[in-house]
Amino acid sequence: MKYYKVIFTISLPGGADLLQDARDVLAALAGEAGLESFEETEQGLTGYAQQTLFDQPLLEQLTADFPLPSCTVTFSVAEAEDRDWNEAWEQAGFDPICLPLPTERGGTIVVHDTRHPVPATGQPITDIVIEARMAFGTGTHETTRMMVAGLAGMPLEGKRLLDCGTGTGILSVAALKLGARQAVGYDIDEWSAENARHNAALNGVADRFTALLGDVSILENVEGGFDIVVANINRNILLADLPQIAAKLKHGGRLLMSGFYTSDVPCLVEKAGEQGLSVEATMQDGNWALMQLTM
Protein backbone atom coordinates (compact mmCIF):
# COMPACT_ATOMS: atom_id res chain seq x y z
CA MET A 1 0.00 0.00 0.00
CA LYS A 2 1.47 3.36 -1.07
CA TYR A 3 1.55 6.23 1.41
CA TYR A 4 2.35 9.92 1.41
CA LYS A 5 4.40 11.45 4.21
CA VAL A 6 3.10 14.91 5.16
CA ILE A 7 5.39 17.11 7.25
CA PHE A 8 3.58 19.88 9.13
CA THR A 9 5.23 22.95 10.57
CA ILE A 10 3.24 24.82 13.23
CA SER A 11 4.14 28.46 13.87
CA LEU A 12 2.91 29.95 17.14
CA PRO A 13 4.61 33.33 17.70
CA GLY A 14 4.68 33.93 21.42
CA GLY A 15 2.44 30.93 22.09
CA ALA A 16 4.72 27.89 22.29
CA ASP A 17 2.76 26.66 25.30
CA LEU A 18 -0.16 25.97 22.92
CA LEU A 19 1.87 23.70 20.64
CA GLN A 20 0.35 20.48 21.98
CA ASP A 21 -3.17 21.85 21.59
CA ALA A 22 -2.32 22.89 18.04
CA ARG A 23 -1.02 19.38 17.30
CA ASP A 24 -4.26 17.85 18.60
CA VAL A 25 -6.46 20.12 16.49
CA LEU A 26 -4.28 19.60 13.43
CA ALA A 27 -4.45 15.81 13.75
CA ALA A 28 -8.24 15.93 13.97
CA LEU A 29 -8.50 18.20 10.92
CA ALA A 30 -5.94 16.28 8.88
CA GLY A 31 -7.91 13.08 9.43
CA GLU A 32 -10.65 14.59 7.27
CA ALA A 33 -8.16 14.77 4.41
CA GLY A 34 -7.19 11.10 4.68
CA LEU A 35 -4.28 11.11 7.12
CA GLU A 36 -4.26 8.02 9.33
CA SER A 37 -1.47 8.30 11.87
CA PHE A 38 0.88 10.92 13.24
CA GLU A 39 4.26 11.39 14.89
CA GLU A 40 5.01 14.49 16.94
CA THR A 41 8.03 16.58 15.95
CA GLU A 42 9.66 19.64 17.47
CA GLN A 43 8.15 21.75 14.69
CA GLY A 44 4.70 20.17 14.69
CA LEU A 45 3.62 16.83 13.26
CA THR A 46 4.42 14.27 10.60
CA GLY A 47 1.39 12.46 9.21
CA TYR A 48 0.81 9.55 6.83
CA ALA A 49 -1.98 9.02 4.31
CA GLN A 50 -2.80 6.34 1.77
CA GLN A 51 -2.17 7.87 -1.62
CA THR A 52 -5.60 6.84 -2.91
CA LEU A 53 -7.35 8.52 0.05
CA PHE A 54 -5.28 11.71 0.39
CA ASP A 55 -7.15 14.94 -0.38
CA GLN A 56 -4.46 17.62 -0.66
CA PRO A 57 -6.79 20.47 -1.73
CA LEU A 58 -8.96 19.81 1.32
CA LEU A 59 -5.89 19.74 3.57
CA GLU A 60 -4.76 23.07 2.11
CA GLN A 61 -8.17 24.56 2.88
CA LEU A 62 -8.29 23.15 6.41
CA THR A 63 -4.84 24.43 7.31
CA ALA A 64 -5.52 27.83 5.75
CA ASP A 65 -8.63 28.14 7.96
CA PHE A 66 -6.90 26.75 11.06
CA PRO A 67 -9.17 27.52 14.04
CA LEU A 68 -6.46 28.31 16.62
CA PRO A 69 -5.83 32.10 16.70
CA SER A 70 -2.32 33.31 15.83
CA CYS A 71 -1.36 29.85 14.59
CA THR A 72 -0.01 29.22 11.09
CA VAL A 73 0.32 25.72 9.64
CA THR A 74 2.33 24.83 6.54
CA PHE A 75 3.10 21.39 5.13
CA SER A 76 5.06 19.51 2.50
CA VAL A 77 4.20 16.17 0.88
CA ALA A 78 6.51 13.35 -0.23
CA GLU A 79 6.17 9.65 -0.97
CA ALA A 80 6.75 7.45 2.07
CA GLU A 81 8.47 4.10 2.21
CA ASP A 82 6.17 1.08 2.22
CA ARG A 83 5.15 0.08 5.75
CA ASP A 84 2.13 -0.05 8.05
CA TRP A 85 2.20 3.42 9.62
CA ASN A 86 -0.28 2.41 12.30
CA GLU A 87 1.77 -0.61 13.37
CA ALA A 88 3.91 1.22 15.94
CA TRP A 89 0.83 2.73 17.60
CA GLU A 90 -1.02 -0.58 17.65
CA GLN A 91 1.98 -2.40 19.10
CA ALA A 92 2.59 0.18 21.84
CA GLY A 93 -1.06 0.64 22.78
CA PHE A 94 -1.92 3.03 25.61
CA ASP A 95 -1.93 3.01 29.38
CA PRO A 96 -5.30 2.26 31.03
CA ILE A 97 -7.47 5.28 31.82
CA CYS A 98 -9.69 5.35 34.91
CA LEU A 99 -12.69 7.69 34.94
CA PRO A 100 -14.80 7.84 38.12
CA LEU A 101 -18.52 7.44 37.56
CA PRO A 102 -21.02 9.86 39.15
CA THR A 103 -21.97 9.05 42.74
CA GLU A 104 -25.42 7.81 41.75
CA ARG A 105 -23.87 5.20 39.43
CA GLY A 106 -20.84 4.39 41.56
CA GLY A 107 -17.65 2.67 40.46
CA THR A 108 -15.15 3.49 37.74
CA ILE A 109 -14.97 3.29 33.97
CA VAL A 110 -11.68 1.73 32.92
CA VAL A 111 -10.63 2.17 29.28
CA HIS A 112 -7.76 -0.08 28.24
CA ASP A 113 -6.37 -1.95 25.26
CA THR A 114 -5.77 -5.66 24.85
CA ARG A 115 -2.10 -5.30 25.79
CA HIS A 116 -2.69 -3.86 29.25
CA PRO A 117 -4.55 -5.55 32.13
CA VAL A 118 -7.43 -3.90 33.95
CA PRO A 119 -5.97 -2.13 37.01
CA ALA A 120 -7.39 -2.83 40.44
CA THR A 121 -9.45 0.14 41.62
CA GLY A 122 -11.16 -1.31 44.66
CA GLN A 123 -14.49 -0.29 43.11
CA PRO A 124 -16.97 -1.82 40.66
CA ILE A 125 -15.58 -1.45 37.13
CA THR A 126 -17.25 -0.74 33.82
CA ASP A 127 -14.66 -2.34 31.54
CA ILE A 128 -14.17 -0.82 28.06
CA VAL A 129 -11.66 -2.47 25.73
CA ILE A 130 -10.41 -0.36 22.83
CA GLU A 131 -8.05 -1.84 20.25
CA ALA A 132 -7.18 1.39 18.49
CA ARG A 133 -6.17 1.54 14.86
CA MET A 134 -5.71 5.29 15.17
CA ALA A 135 -4.46 7.47 18.03
CA PHE A 136 -7.66 9.46 18.66
CA GLY A 137 -10.55 7.92 20.51
CA THR A 138 -8.93 5.92 23.28
CA GLY A 139 -9.80 8.16 26.20
CA THR A 140 -6.36 9.73 26.38
CA HIS A 141 -7.54 13.03 24.90
CA GLU A 142 -9.27 15.64 27.04
CA THR A 143 -12.33 15.82 24.80
CA THR A 144 -12.85 12.05 24.82
CA ARG A 145 -12.61 11.94 28.61
CA MET A 146 -15.13 14.77 28.94
CA MET A 147 -17.51 13.07 26.52
CA VAL A 148 -17.39 9.78 28.44
CA ALA A 149 -17.90 11.67 31.71
CA GLY A 150 -20.83 13.56 30.17
CA LEU A 151 -22.45 10.33 29.02
CA ALA A 152 -21.95 8.75 32.43
CA GLY A 153 -23.90 11.62 33.97
CA MET A 154 -26.94 11.07 31.74
CA PRO A 155 -29.84 8.66 32.17
CA LEU A 156 -28.97 6.20 29.40
CA GLU A 157 -31.16 3.21 30.19
CA GLY A 158 -33.22 2.24 27.14
CA LYS A 159 -32.01 5.21 25.09
CA ARG A 160 -31.11 5.26 21.38
CA LEU A 161 -27.80 7.03 20.66
CA LEU A 162 -26.30 8.58 17.52
CA ASP A 163 -22.49 8.80 17.42
CA CYS A 164 -21.27 11.39 14.89
CA GLY A 165 -17.70 10.73 13.76
CA THR A 166 -17.55 7.51 15.75
CA GLY A 167 -13.77 6.93 15.40
CA THR A 168 -12.87 3.94 17.57
CA GLY A 169 -16.49 3.66 18.70
CA ILE A 170 -15.54 4.41 22.31
CA LEU A 171 -18.54 6.66 22.98
CA SER A 172 -21.03 4.16 21.59
CA VAL A 173 -19.43 1.33 23.55
CA ALA A 174 -19.48 3.38 26.75
CA ALA A 175 -23.14 4.33 26.30
CA LEU A 176 -24.18 0.75 25.57
CA LYS A 177 -22.29 -0.58 28.59
CA LEU A 178 -23.96 2.07 30.74
CA GLY A 179 -27.46 1.01 29.69
CA ALA A 180 -28.25 2.47 26.25
CA ARG A 181 -30.51 0.28 24.12
CA GLN A 182 -28.95 0.92 20.69
CA ALA A 183 -26.19 3.00 19.12
CA VAL A 184 -25.68 4.05 15.51
CA GLY A 185 -22.35 5.60 14.55
CA TYR A 186 -21.01 6.99 11.31
CA ASP A 187 -17.56 8.03 10.14
CA ILE A 188 -16.18 9.29 6.86
CA ASP A 189 -13.15 6.99 7.13
CA GLU A 190 -13.59 3.32 6.28
CA TRP A 191 -10.84 2.26 8.70
CA SER A 192 -12.65 4.06 11.54
CA ALA A 193 -15.99 2.42 10.80
CA GLU A 194 -14.30 -0.99 10.71
CA ASN A 195 -12.39 -0.25 13.92
CA ALA A 196 -15.62 0.80 15.68
CA ARG A 197 -17.30 -2.48 14.67
CA HIS A 198 -14.28 -4.40 15.91
CA ASN A 199 -14.33 -2.65 19.29
CA ALA A 200 -18.07 -3.18 19.66
CA ALA A 201 -17.45 -6.91 19.17
CA LEU A 202 -14.59 -6.88 21.71
CA ASN A 203 -16.97 -5.38 24.27
CA GLY A 204 -19.86 -7.73 23.56
CA VAL A 205 -22.20 -5.02 22.25
CA ALA A 206 -21.96 -5.64 18.49
CA ASP A 207 -25.60 -6.76 18.35
CA ARG A 208 -26.71 -3.30 19.48
CA PHE A 209 -24.26 -1.20 17.46
CA THR A 210 -24.32 -0.20 13.79
CA ALA A 211 -21.37 1.60 12.16
CA LEU A 212 -22.06 3.41 8.88
CA LEU A 213 -19.53 4.70 6.36
CA GLY A 214 -20.13 8.29 5.25
CA ASP A 215 -20.49 11.89 6.33
CA VAL A 216 -23.53 13.54 7.90
CA SER A 217 -25.53 13.03 4.69
CA ILE A 218 -25.74 9.33 5.58
CA LEU A 219 -28.37 10.30 8.16
CA GLU A 220 -30.88 10.71 5.32
CA ASN A 221 -30.93 6.89 5.18
CA VAL A 222 -31.29 6.37 8.94
CA GLU A 223 -34.85 5.89 10.14
CA GLY A 224 -36.20 7.40 13.35
CA GLY A 225 -34.89 9.88 15.85
CA PHE A 226 -32.42 9.60 18.71
CA ASP A 227 -32.68 10.29 22.42
CA ILE A 228 -28.99 11.21 22.67
CA VAL A 229 -26.52 12.45 20.06
CA VAL A 230 -22.77 12.65 20.67
CA ALA A 231 -20.37 14.53 18.41
CA ASN A 232 -16.69 14.82 19.30
CA ILE A 233 -15.52 16.53 16.12
CA ASN A 234 -13.96 19.85 15.25
CA ARG A 235 -15.70 23.22 15.24
CA ASN A 236 -15.92 23.67 11.48
CA ILE A 237 -17.64 20.34 10.93
CA LEU A 238 -20.00 20.95 13.84
CA LEU A 239 -21.00 24.33 12.42
CA ALA A 240 -21.66 22.78 9.01
CA ASP A 241 -23.44 19.65 10.26
CA LEU A 242 -25.56 20.94 13.15
CA PRO A 243 -28.75 21.32 11.08
CA GLN A 244 -28.70 17.65 10.00
CA ILE A 245 -27.63 16.47 13.45
CA ALA A 246 -30.34 18.45 15.24
CA ALA A 247 -32.95 17.10 12.82
CA LYS A 248 -32.28 13.56 14.14
CA LEU A 249 -32.61 14.56 17.81
CA LYS A 250 -35.96 13.80 19.43
CA HIS A 251 -37.80 16.57 21.25
CA GLY A 252 -36.44 16.58 24.78
CA GLY A 253 -33.34 14.72 23.62
CA ARG A 254 -29.78 15.72 24.47
CA LEU A 255 -26.81 16.60 22.27
CA LEU A 256 -23.35 16.22 23.80
CA MET A 257 -20.57 17.77 21.74
CA SER A 258 -16.87 18.53 22.10
CA GLY A 259 -13.75 18.72 19.96
CA PHE A 260 -13.47 22.51 20.11
CA TYR A 261 -11.91 25.22 22.25
CA THR A 262 -13.54 27.39 24.88
CA SER A 263 -13.10 30.31 22.46
CA ASP A 264 -15.34 28.48 19.96
CA VAL A 265 -18.28 28.20 22.35
CA PRO A 266 -20.06 31.48 21.41
CA CYS A 267 -20.31 30.71 17.68
CA LEU A 268 -21.46 27.15 18.40
CA VAL A 269 -24.09 28.38 20.88
CA GLU A 270 -25.39 30.77 18.21
CA LYS A 271 -25.55 28.04 15.57
CA ALA A 272 -27.20 25.63 18.00
CA GLY A 273 -29.80 28.24 18.90
CA GLU A 274 -30.73 28.53 15.24
CA GLN A 275 -31.63 24.81 15.35
CA GLY A 276 -33.80 25.17 18.45
CA LEU A 277 -31.14 23.84 20.82
CA SER A 278 -30.41 25.37 24.22
CA VAL A 279 -27.37 24.87 26.48
CA GLU A 280 -27.95 22.78 29.61
CA ALA A 281 -24.39 22.43 30.86
CA THR A 282 -20.77 23.05 29.92
CA MET A 283 -17.47 21.48 30.88
CA GLN A 284 -13.85 22.50 30.38
CA ASP A 285 -10.53 20.65 30.48
CA GLY A 286 -7.65 22.99 29.79
CA ASN A 287 -8.55 24.93 26.66
CA TRP A 288 -10.96 22.24 25.46
CA ALA A 289 -14.71 22.62 25.97
CA LEU A 290 -17.82 20.44 26.04
CA MET A 291 -21.45 21.49 25.74
CA GLN A 292 -24.60 19.59 26.65
CA LEU A 293 -27.65 20.86 24.79
CA THR A 294 -31.31 19.92 24.65
CA MET A 295 -34.00 20.19 21.99
Side-chain angles (χ1 to χ4, degrees):
M1 187 177 296
K2 299 293 184 180
Y3 275 75
Y4 286 125
K5 179 179 182 179
V6 184
I7 301 172
F8 295 95
T9 300
I10 300 173
S11 298
L12 277 165
D17 56 326
L18 294 177
L19 179 58
Q20 189 58 53
D21 287 344
R23 288 188 182 115
D24 292 338
V25 174
L26 178 57
L29 289 173
E32 300 171 34
L35 278 80
E36 295 182 5
S37 57
F38 302 91
E39 298 170 342
E40 293 185 0
T41 66
E42 290 186 6
Q43 295 76 31
L45 281 178
T46 297
Y48 302 91
Q50 294 181 39
Q51 292 185 9
T52 56
L53 300 178
F54 181 50
D55 189 337
Q56 184 165 343
L58 176 58
L59 186 60
E60 291 171 351
Q61 177 186 339
L62 293 170
T63 52
D65 298 331
F66 199 71
L68 189 61
S70 304
C71 179
T72 302
V73 177
T74 57
F75 66 88
S76 60
V77 181
E79 284 202 8
E81 61 178 295
D82 288 341
R83 58 175 283 197
D84 182 352
W85 293 105
N86 280 320
E87 181 180 2
W89 164 257
E90 292 175 25
Q91 291 296 324
F94 61 95
D95 291 331
I97 299 127
C98 297
L99 303 171
L101 286 165
T103 303
E104 59 271 21
R105 285 189 182 273
T108 303
I109 292 177
V110 176
V111 183
H112 66 99
D113 60 20
T114 54
R115 304 181 189 282
H116 293 83
V118 179
T121 66
Q123 299 179 348
I125 288 175
T126 300
D127 182 20
I128 297 177
V129 187
I130 297 295
E131 195 168 72
R133 291 170 185 164
M134 61 178 181
F136 194 84
T138 60
T140 59
H141 195 271
E142 294 91 332
T143 60
T144 310
R145 294 199 300 268
M146 285 193 293
M147 292 290 284
V148 173
L151 279 171
M154 290 183 178
L156 296 172
E157 289 74 13
K159 304 295 186 182
R160 187 179 190 225
L161 177 133
L162 174 64
D163 187 357
C164 308
T166 189
T168 61
I170 184 173
L171 299 181
S172 290
V173 169
L176 291 167
K177 286 209 159 187
L178 291 172
R181 171 175 58 87
Q182 180 192 24
V184 176
Y186 68 87
D187 204 291
I188 196 170
D189 295 305
E190 184 175 2
W191 45 272
S192 290
E194 292 177 354
N195 192 200
R197 294 186 194 102
H198 175 71
N199 287 322
L202 280 179
N203 287 274
V205 297
D207 58 331
R208 295 184 285 143
F209 175 68
T210 302
L212 304 174
L213 176 62
D215 59 17
V216 71
S217 64
I218 199 76
L219 295 180
E220 297 175 3
N221 303 319
V222 177
E223 294 184 1
F226 293 85
D227 305 291
I228 297 171
V229 177
V230 292
N232 188 17
I233 44 186
N234 73 68
R235 179 199 66 174
N236 293 340
I237 294 180
L238 285 171
L239 289 171
D241 293 358
L242 262 174
Q244 295 98 314
I245 291 172
K248 299 302 292 185
L249 187 63
K250 292 180 180 178
H251 182 72
R254 288 186 170 95
L255 167 61
L256 196 66
M257 62 184 191
S258 189
F260 49 88
Y261 285 102
T262 54
S263 58
D264 297 322
V265 168
C267 67
L268 285 164
V269 168
E270 180 180 358
K271 186 69 173 183
E274 295 172 1
Q275 316 310 317
L277 294 161
S278 57
V279 179
E280 278 191 323
T282 61
M283 193 183 302
Q284 182 177 344
D285 189 338
N287 292 318
W288 296 99
L290 171 145
M291 289 196 297
Q292 180 178 306
L293 307 103
T294 188
M295 177 67 73

